[in-house]
Amino acid sequence: MSIKKLKGITWNHSRGLVPMVATAQRFSELYPDVEISWEKRSLQAFADASIEDLAKRFDLLVIDHPWTGFGAQTEVILPLSDFMPASYIADQQANSVGKSYESYVFKNKLWALPIDAATPVASARLDILEKNGLTVPQTFDDLLALAKKGLVAFAGIPIDLLMSFYMFCCSLDEAPFQSEERVISVETGVKALKMFRELASHIAPENFERNPIKVYEAMVNTDDIAYCPFAYGYSNYAREGYAKNVLHFYDLVSVNGKAMCSTLGGTGLAVSAYCKHQAEAVAYAQFTGSATVQEHLFTDNGGQPGHLKAWQSEKTNAYTHQYFKNTLPALERAFLRPRYSGHMDFQDHAGDVVRNYLMNGGSEENVLNQLDELYHHSLNLQTA
């Protein structure tokens, strides 16, 4: 029996690697002529590295959804809706967590399976809050009051700050990128930046070097941070025994009477167009994204599923302190950022502009003008 070998690339966290290894192992047990190995890359490389280069080296790719437009335009990944049964694709669409399914659709085709769903949500160390006679914030004013006590942190590296800027805009009732002229209107943009900077002024400087994982690690390994108002959720930290302390996760605080609207994340499983064993790679992807595997094997091994039935499952919620049910509303209303081919160039640079403002202050209008210049440049780069 000749063995058909497939190589996959994912990202370096228990949530990114372990479920892929577990599903690959089980798939190989079911299909002994297929052997799948997984490698990992950093979270930053996951967001930044071109999938064109990766597709030439790997058969299976776990990708960030903003790469969808580029992948569709260059055709370095397969349109999975052309290779999978229509009934399976329909199930994926019907059981999308928020806009997770839509985030991988381009040119009316599905380019990756939404195997992982995420958006910034709130998290808390209830023991620290209780010790201080405090409760989980419900409004933005509550959040500011807690931040002034020095107990709040959020992810402050450029990419996360940019996603949070979108969140502030959406929460002020205007989504970004509604035209090709401006990222956001001056009125809303200025308000969003001022709100964000007011909160940031009460955050320790080291948080501007932290991604969500580093924020959560600081929360579970020290007693310095009681609450994170928004960071891409990781159900791992809601599970007993994963870390020194358990985090409890919640929906976002409200602004003007409505819960904030964060920016959709998550990951998709794509198949390289250069793959020599496409049928086997597609079969593995279909296996991994199925409802049963998503609810059980995938999530049991540290994964954060992309199938709605797994989010609604009593089982998965029981061992994550209701992580999925508590945060599902935030996923369902999350903002879907642009995915046109040139957008990754904007994303690579715009976060630095927001971060510099939050750390050093300055003119909000100048920040918006810089973002608009980057936006126009990225639109000129797009070929799709």
Side-chain angles (χ1 to χ4, degrees), residues 104-334:
Y104 299 103
V105 173
F106 211 81
K107 297 181 178 179
N108 297 314
K109 294 186 178 184
L110 183 71
W111 296 85
L113 282 180
I115 59 165
D116 175 297
T119 200
V121 293
S123 57
R125 279 279 303 277
L126 293 184
D127 56 323
I128 299 176
L129 289 176
E130 291 169 2
K131 180 181 177 181
N132 288 275
L134 302 167
T135 56
V136 175
Q138 300 299 310
T139 68
F140 190 73
D141 287 340
D142 294 343
L143 169 58
L144 285 175
L146 185 61
K148 290 174 183 177
K149 297 180 183 294
L151 294 172
V152 171
F154 57 69
I157 62 171
I159 182 64
D160 287 283
L161 293 179
L162 181 62
M163 299 302 104
S164 296
F165 171 64
Y166 298 165
M167 175 188 67
F168 275 94
C169 293
C170 291
S171 301
L172 292 171
D173 296 323
E174 183 183 346
F177 307 107
Q178 296 304 300
S179 79
E180 294 190 355
E181 299 302 315
R182 307 214 65 164
V183 171
I184 195 74
S185 70
V186 174
E187 181 182 3
T188 299
V190 168
K191 285 182 182 178
L193 288 168
K194 286 184 175 179
M195 283 182 69
F196 203 173
R197 186 152 199 271
E198 183 179 10
L199 176 61
S201 68
H202 304 296
I203 303 298
E206 56 263 32
N207 283 293
F208 287 99
E209 303 297 330
R210 287 172 172 159
N211 62 21
I213 294 171
K214 290 182 178 178
V215 171
Y216 294 137
E217 290 293 338
M219 291 181 75
V220 298
N221 290 311
T222 75
D223 293 332
D224 299 331
I225 305 167
Y227 185 74
C228 174
F230 41 80
Y232 282 95
Y234 279 73
S235 65
N236 312 79
Y237 296 95
R239 308 181 192 210
E240 295 286 348
Y242 180 76
K244 180 180 177 182
N245 291 284
V246 170
L247 297 182
H248 289 75
F249 287 80
Y250 303 92
D251 199 350
L252 301 164
V253 298
S254 64
V255 171
N256 298 327
K258 294 188 298 184
M260 297 185 79
C261 176
S262 53
T263 306
L264 187 68
T267 68
L269 179 55
V271 175
S272 169
Y274 300 96
C275 177
K276 294 180 180 178
H277 304 294
Q278 290 183 357
E280 289 75 15
V282 169
Y284 166 71
Q286 189 172 323
F287 170 80
T288 303
S290 66
T292 299
V293 171
Q294 283 273 292
E295 180 181 355
H296 301 286
L297 185 62
F298 188 88
T299 310
D300 289 350
N301 283 280
Q304 190 162 294
H307 199 285
L308 183 59
K309 289 181 179 177
W311 281 72
Q312 296 171 330
S313 164
E314 294 297 333
K315 175 194 166 188
T316 60
N317 279 283
Y319 62 69
T320 59
H321 293 90
Q322 305 300 308
Y323 173 93
F324 298 104
K325 288 185 178 178
N326 285 352
T327 62
L328 183 57
L331 270 294
E332 290 175 331
R333 65 174 181 274

Side-chain angles (χ1 to χ4, degrees), residues 79-117:
L80 295 180
S81 49
D82 287 354
F83 290 80
M84 293 180 175
S87 59
Y88 182 88
I89 296 298
D91 176 79
Q92 291 288 307
Q93 185 172 10
N95 286 284
S96 175
V97 178
K99 295 182 176 70
S100 292
Y101 176 91
E102 181 185 340
S103 70
Y104 299 103
V105 173
F106 211 81
K107 297 181 178 179
N108 297 314
K109 294 186 178 184
L110 183 71
W111 296 85
L113 282 180
I115 59 165
D116 175 297

Side-chain angles (χ1 to χ4, degrees), residues 47 63-71 103-104 163 264-266 337-341 343-344 347:
I63 67 170
D64 197 7
H65 73 74
W67 280 105
T68 306
F70 179 86
S103 70
Y104 299 103
M163 299 302 104
L264 187 68
R337 68 192 119 145
R339 296 159 298 130
Y340 60 86
S341 184
H343 186 71
M344 295 306 294
Q347 187 170 287

